[in-house]
Amino acid sequence: MVDGSREDLSFDKLLQQRRMLARGLFKAVTRLQELENELYTDSLTGLASEKVFERELPRLVGLAQSRGEPLALLVADVNGLKRANDLEGHATGDELLKRVADATRRSARPSDVPIRRSVGGDEFVVILPGFSPKPGQTEEDLFDDTVKRFENTYTEAVASLGLREEVHAGVSFGVAILRDGESAKDLF
């Protein structure tokens, strides 16, 4: 620049600064994506987290109500987790949760939203959009078929751990069906 008192900002230096800014921006965006993933994904099981439940259940209930579409909620509670932790160790309790999460994932339809709730840590919820009987199927049959589908994979998951009999590990669950005019709070 004028008489050398200022640093010459040549094209190469500007290009170098721009590349450095781009790298910094890329790193910041990548880290933001990682943080968002941590927020919305349960670190132990890889399922969606409590935050997803809090965000998606009201949204999906509102959507189902506005479109007149069916929706249901399956809630599964892992029985014997505390005893598994106490008698077999926390690593075994964690493995029990991972296997139940995997069973939840395998049993869910592509449209379902499987979630591990952090309240208590032993509860899994599956949001079931489009929960309606097929032609010739009653709502009770649909309920029973859904429960059996999840029950079978849960039973296999728990049995595969080979826990002591006194742990009494298992999974109990139920299904709530959204009715006209109900809110997310009514459903859960």
Side-chain angles (χ1 to χ4, degrees), residues 75-147:
V75 180
D77 186 66
V78 179
N79 302 315
L81 178 62
K82 182 178 178 347
R83 289 188 57 81
N85 283 333
D86 292 346
L87 296 173
E88 304 274 353
H90 286 275
T92 300
D94 287 352
E95 186 61 29
L96 175 59
L97 290 171
K98 289 177 190 176
R99 290 188 189 198
V100 170
D102 185 53
T104 302
R105 201 178 287 108
R106 286 192 326 266
S107 298
R109 304 168 303 171
S111 61
D112 295 342
V113 183
I115 298 165
R116 178 179 177 214
R117 294 214 51 225
S118 56
V119 178
D122 62 350
E123 187 173 87
F124 294 85
V125 174
V126 183
I127 303 172
L128 305 161
F131 190 79
S132 63
K134 295 176 185 160
Q137 184 183 37
T138 66
E139 191 174 81
E140 186 175 311
D141 290 339
L142 174 63
F143 177 86
D144 289 344
D145 292 347
T146 301
V147 167

Side-chain angles (χ1 to χ4, degrees), residues 36-85:
E36 187 174 85
N37 189 43
E38 288 173 20
L39 179 66
Y40 294 118
T41 305
D42 178 70
S43 61
L44 179 65
T45 65
L47 290 181
S49 71
E50 179 79 19
K51 290 286 185 196
V52 172
F53 179 76
E54 292 169 0
R55 181 189 70 199
E56 289 299 300
L57 183 62
R59 187 184 74 76
L60 290 171
V61 165
L63 193 62
Q65 290 290 20
S66 70
R67 293 180 176 175
E69 295 175 352
L71 183 128
L73 197 65
L74 179 129
V75 180
D77 186 66
V78 179
N79 302 315
L81 178 62
K82 182 178 178 347
R83 289 188 57 81
N85 283 333

Side-chain angles (χ1 to χ4, degrees), residues 145-184:
D145 292 347
T146 301
V147 167
K148 284 177 190 169
R149 184 175 77 234
F150 281 89
E151 184 177 43
N152 289 339
T153 56
Y154 287 152
T155 300
E156 291 170 13
V158 171
S160 70
L161 268 175
L163 298 172
R164 297 181 212 180
E165 197 172 304
E166 58 269 21
V167 171
H168 303 292
V171 179
S172 58
F173 49 92
V175 177
I177 299 171
L178 180 69
R179 303 292 179 201
D180 283 340
E182 288 184 330
S183 69

